[in-house]
Amino acid sequence: MTLSLQKALVYTIAAIGIALLLLFWQTGTFSESVLPGYPGDAFFPRLILIFSLIWVAVLLLRLFRRAADTEPTTGLPKTVAVELIPFAVVAGCVLAYIFLLPILGFELCTFLFLFGLLFTRWRDPIRQRVIRVAALSLSTTLFFYVVFILLLNVSFPVRILPRYIQF
Amino acid sequence: MENIGENLVPAMGLVFGSTSLIVLLAGVILGIVLGALPGFGSSQSLALLFPMTFIMNGPDAILFCVAVYSAAEYGGSIPAILIRTPGTPGGAVTVLDGYEMTRKGLASKALKVSLFSGVIGGLTSTLIFIVAGSTLAWIGLQFGPGEMFALGLFGLSIIGSFFGRDPAKGFLATGMGLLLATVGSSGFGGLRFTFDLAPLMDGLPLVVIVIGLLAAPEAFRLLIEHRDSEVEDHGAADVATHKERNRFTRADAVRLIPTWIRNSLIGTAIGAIPGAGASVGSLIAYNEEKRWSARGDEFGTGVEEGVAAPESANNAVVAGTLVPSLALGIPGSGTAAILIGVLITKGIVPGPLLFKESTSLVLAIFVGLIVANVMLLGVGLMGAKVWGKVAHVPRRILGPFVMLMIVIGTYAYSNYAAHVVMVLIIGSLAYYFEKLEIPSVPIMLAFVMGPIIERNLNKALTIHAGDLMVVLTRPITIVILLLALATAWYGFKRAGAPAADPESAGTGKAAEH
């Protein structure tokens, strides 16, 4: 998806502004001061929110003024490309990895994650590709198992490798 | 700093302990490897390796980080010299003469010049660091909480003004970072911005912010934008060819001494200015060397001085950056913010008191930097051929490994899947923001500084019975606040001025790292 930079900036800054206003409203629920002199839990966040809202206003004003200007903006690209599908695939892979971790275990999840992502990026003919990507994914899984689980003692849910490799 | 003699022995004990030397060596090797990967600066390298510090004690963790930082700055020059692709923003200027040397069949010599220059830059700035740091800390010790609050605002004014091309976006990013820092407990029993979500009750962990803002966008870029890319073959020469011509002789070293001294001083000074960083340091060093050197006219055609100047400067930046970071708690760069974060997670508070109460730790950092630079020399010389191969790894293959390291590293922090989801959300936003030229480094810097600023503000208000005007109108506070305003004004003026040349235009972007 390709957006005009001007529009993308206006929508993003406006969304940030709305979020900041909602957060300002939320500060009304924070605890009052409990100590003499202490201004309460909401004081510092409100200072930050006011500060940020000022910059939102400055940026929006500038963007609207620029939109009215006939002179083209120099130095900035005119469009922003947002690769939604490749991005969703990557995010989906990460989420699948983390949610399947307790079910399939560290070894299988890591192997599948790497195999899936590397397979689409490898250039060899299909049979060589399968062998090479599988070998690389397997060796990397072993490496991460040794480093994170055996050496650094991180408690990942493991299923297969402890039966074969342990210090 | 008091009692250097008394504290030097415990400091040496910290650095030369069995685990510390292993940690330093690991930091140097990993720093070179990650720095040599195209697109990976010192801050991204540190962000990726941050989870490894969880199992280390405080001194080992900080020694590991400074070793990675120093080594990554050298590592960045390897792809710059061999394949015309700087590994770190600081290595961008090295391309100009480094790659020309490679084209002449002098790749190995260029790598050696870069290595020696980096090590000498690092050693020189470390010696300056100990003097400058203790002086700055002594000044900081004279300040009360009100002045420290103003100093924090001064730091924010630099962060907002000089990271990225547009100060207005920089200040908005700074505000977002400060807000993220307020999530969780207020420190006075209340909760803020948790929305009754359990993962937010303890606030956002620094590891989530660091990995989300620095490493994750790079991983997205590698996976999405470089999924079809190859490393371009620029005809990069094998580093082992032309052995005789590639020898780095004593005469070469003697000729480069003035270059090393000049640019180590420039790098240290630039490093001490928050927001400037290695890219600005190496650019200024290159331009100054071009003016001073007898071979100035030959710059850009593959001369040793053209490699030595930026490389000694960008490694000198490392110790220079540590001066305001450790002495005042103001991180000068994304990398310094991670270093501060590591200290804080280990229960060590950076700032003037650190130099008074933990003198041996500060000295250990100083000695550790020297040892790391000596190790860098050995490892760099021994592994020249291997590092050359690392630089040739295609980016499309790199992406899955980087993303896997991010996921595993984040999960390892406290075995909590929600942290990985947070990294995914923050990383996605940072990736999108970078497309809109909203810089993400100020978000992280402000996140680190936020609690320090709030704590000092609360202390000052409590002392002065809640009267903000009394806090803001103390003489030193007024001077610091005026400096902050002047900095912001200068930032806008600088951003409004047309870039003099393409190189200087690029530094704004480069400074983000």
Side-chain angles (χ1 to χ4, degrees), chain B residues 178-430:
Chain B
L178 289 171
L179 265 182
L180 288 174
T182 62
V183 174
S185 169
S186 67
F188 286 85
L191 288 172
R192 299 187 294 201
F193 302 127
T194 57
F195 309 101
D196 294 328
L197 293 170
L200 296 179
M201 297 289 178
D202 289 330
L204 297 169
L206 180 72
V207 65
V208 165
I209 297 293
V210 167
I211 294 179
L213 290 173
L214 295 177
E218 193 55 42
F220 280 127
R221 232 186 321 278
L222 289 168
L223 283 163
I224 295 166
E225 293 169 24
H226 295 286
R227 60 184 183 275
D228 299 319
S229 73
E230 284 286 357
V231 170
E232 285 177 62
D233 183 6
H234 295 282
D238 181 351
V239 290
T241 57
H242 308 294
K243 274 191 180 169
E244 199 53 44
R245 287 172 62 209
N246 271 297
R247 193 162 287 158
F248 184 68
T249 61
R250 190 178 293 177
D252 289 326
V254 170
R255 202 183 69 242
L256 289 175
I257 287 173
T259 306
W260 286 334
I261 295 172
R262 268 195 295 272
N263 297 294
S264 299
L265 294 175
I266 289 175
T268 311
I270 298 291
I273 302 168
S279 46
V280 178
S282 55
L283 185 66
I284 292 175
Y286 187 84
N287 284 336
E288 285 306 305
E289 191 57 29
K290 203 173 171 181
R291 285 200 309 138
W292 283 86
S293 172
R295 301 173 76 188
D297 294 341
E298 296 171 47
F299 269 48
T301 62
V303 289
E304 287 90 340
E305 286 83 349
V307 176
E311 284 305 308
S312 48
N314 75 30
N315 271 56
V317 163
V318 174
T321 307
L322 291 177
V323 174
S325 308
L326 294 179
L328 299 175
I330 298 175
S333 65
T335 321
I338 300 174
L339 287 172
I340 286 187
V342 169
L343 281 173
I344 292 170
T345 52
K346 298 293 177 189
I348 303 160
V349 182
L353 279 175
L354 182 71
F355 280 68
K356 196 177 179 188
E357 292 172 354
S358 307
T359 312
S360 55
L361 178 68
V362 177
L363 279 173
I365 295 170
F366 159 69
V367 179
L369 264 171
I370 292 175
V371 175
N373 275 293
V374 173
M375 283 181 171
L376 177 61
L377 189 61
V379 174
L381 283 174
M382 282 190 286
K385 283 185 200 169
V386 181
W387 316 136
K389 287 199 171 84
V390 171
H392 283 83
V393 175
R395 291 189 190 196
R396 63 190 162 80
I397 302 296
L398 214 56
F401 294 100
V402 174
M403 188 53 97
L404 184 66
M405 272 190 79
I406 287 172
V407 175
I408 292 178
T410 311
Y411 186 85
Y413 174 63
S414 57
N415 303 325
Y416 199 21
H419 287 161
V420 181
V421 178
M422 287 180 196
V423 163
L424 199 60
I425 294 168
I426 293 170
S428 312
L429 282 174

Side-chain angles (χ1 to χ4, degrees), chain B residues 159-179:
Chain B
I159 291 165
S161 302
F162 298 112
F163 283 89
R165 291 165 70 147
D166 182 354
K169 289 177 185 171
F171 281 118
L172 180 61
T174 305
M176 287 192 275
L178 289 171
L179 265 182

Side-chain angles (χ1 to χ4, degrees), chain A residues 41 62 76 121 123 152 155, chain B residues 55 166 223 396 415 437:
Chain A
D41 285 358
R62 230 169 48 180
L76 289 173
R121 287 164 172 77
R123 294 282 161 78
L152 301 181
S155 62
Chain B
I55 54 146
D166 182 354
L223 283 163
R396 63 190 162 80
N415 303 325
E437 300 203 331

